[in-house]
Amino acid sequence: MKIIVAKTAGFCMGVRRAVEMVFDAPGKYTPPIYTYGPLIHNPQVLELCAEKGIRILDSIPDRANGTVLIRAHGVPPDIKVRLEAAGLTVVDTTCPRVIKVQTIIRKQAQKGYEVIILGDEDHPEVIGLLGYAGPRGQVVDSLESLASLPVYDKAIIVAQTTQNTRLFEQVQRWVEGNRPHYRLFNTICDSTEKRQSEVRELAPQVDAVVVVGGKQSGNTRRLAEIASFYGKTAFHVETAADLNVDALAGCQIIGITAGASTPSWIIKQVFRAVEKLPMARPGGIGGRWLTFQRVLLLTNIYVAFGAGCLAFAASQLQGGRLMAEHVLAAMSYVLSMHILNHLTGRAEDRYNSPDRERFYSANKRVLAAVALAAGGLGLLSAYRMGWLAFAVLLVMSALGLAYNIPLVPAGIWPGLGWRRLRDIPGSKTFLIAVAWAVVTSLLPLLGGSRPSVWAVMASFGWTAGLVFSRTLFFDILDMQGDRIVGKETLAIVLGEKKSFSLIYSVLAITVFGLAAGGLIGLLPPLAYGLTGCSLLLAAVAWRHQRRCEPAGLKLEFGVESLFVLAGAMGLIFCFLAGNC
Ligand code: SF4
């Protein structure tokens, strides 16, 4: 089964900006925090707002305190004035593109033009726009209602930003033939245009289209209408739970798109649910293979195996003899730390990976026991390598355990926002990279092996760079969910664009370092092969940046497989060089 995800599925720029401003508001502005009307047409996001104590203000009180955020759709100008007069601090998250339409209307109305708005009269954006037109405003939702209006001497026509582009084209032709003196402004947002034209392209290629978004969301409903227009079954779902598994099971190619108010974590959940459909088919090899991948990822067995592979590749890069204890220590340490991290990070997984959250909640005792046993095995393996390796792994295990524990007692330093290591913005990405690099590249040296210092440095830099880039890439995929739970990952601190640039830069340095080390003879020829892992990760990141596909099981498994690939190259080199 193939899944095609529309490139523009999910939050548009304006909604993303507004949602981020609202979720960042608690702690930043004077409480209580309100949104003026529901933030967006998405019940799941509204539930989250309620959980965070963000309330909806439906009417303007006589007196109030706190902060009110104007949502992306905007409001009529008098509403802002009345909110401020009531004593509230107003934070305006109106989308800049909506502000542009408001400005056009205000200027043209002041010049004496009648203002005709093509849109849904009950839509909050249209209500806000009407406020800027004053008594000169009219709303029409069809060609017929436009034709029924009186003929004005001076009039402009603007469109609701999420209006159907085809309807606007029809209006344009009608105006040219019937009211050529009217001024027409195409104010449909290009994000809406792209989203709709993508569905037009997508529909003929697939057997069915899944449209994700709130049932009340007009732009989401329009996407479903467009897909149906092309004769394709369109399933409008709010969450993965609404999927009609039986109806979709027979489809070979499924398209997924989402409205502008659909968060990425919900698209990801729907994507993963569609991806799992083959698992429901009895006896299918594809389904079994996916189930196998899912179990390996959920239990962290695969990531631990990847750490072992990376340790093996690093040992070959350093030209040292193979130490089984080294590989075992790396695998056990990574398994233990990753399980512990997921056990303590279930709040984030609730949005980013509900599958994993359920798995860890249901099996927490067993998994805690496995994590402790793996930690013990890692320490034992390190001890067999030497006391120095043991001491370093012991410190690293203690640091890993302390990562989620408050190190500064509450109240001792009131102004300090960081009580745990994990509270330091972006710390996770750096610490994971360093920890992996120590266990995969440094342990042999600490364990008494005598590789060249340059080879150890190169190997340390390569493993740290690769793991850093992989972790930052996963951080990018989880940005929206992390932001909701208030986690400040490096991707959130830097923003998506800079995070991708950092990934490419770090990977470029690893490629350059390995190739240069090989050329000047500091590293064995294996170094050239290992550049492939960095290049492949860069290609995956680049493809994702261009297509913005959700993080499905295959993507996650593919990225983790890069470490296994490194191990396979190490093994081939080991045999060719006569080390194995
Ligand atoms: S659809 Fe366009 S105009 Fe509307 S909120 Fe999104 S970016 Fe802004």
Side-chain angles (χ1 to χ4, degrees), residues 12-15 72-73 95-98 125 161-162 189-192 260:
C12 60
M13 173 279 290
V15 171
H73 301 306
C95 171
R97 291 177 187 166
V98 175
E125 180 191 319
T161 54
T162 49
C189 169
D190 62 348
S191 146
T192 309

Side-chain angles (χ1 to χ4, degrees), residues 97-161:
R97 291 177 187 166
V98 175
I99 291 177
K100 204 170 146 190
V101 192
Q102 293 172 345
T103 311
I104 293 173
I105 293 176
R106 185 172 41 80
K107 280 189 184 163
Q108 300 303 323
Q110 279 167 359
K111 287 182 192 167
Y113 282 84
E114 297 297 321
V115 176
I116 301 167
I117 302 166
L118 182 64
D120 306 330
E121 67 176 341
D122 297 332
H123 195 280
E125 180 191 319
V126 175
I127 294 169
L129 295 179
L130 262 182
Y132 284 83
R136 297 189 182 282
Q138 309 271 357
V139 182
V140 295
D141 61 0
S142 63
L143 209 47
E144 294 73 39
S145 51
L146 173 63
S148 69
L149 289 179
V151 182
Y152 301 112
D153 292 340
K154 289 165 78 177
I156 64 159
I157 300 179
V158 296
Q160 182 184 336
T161 54

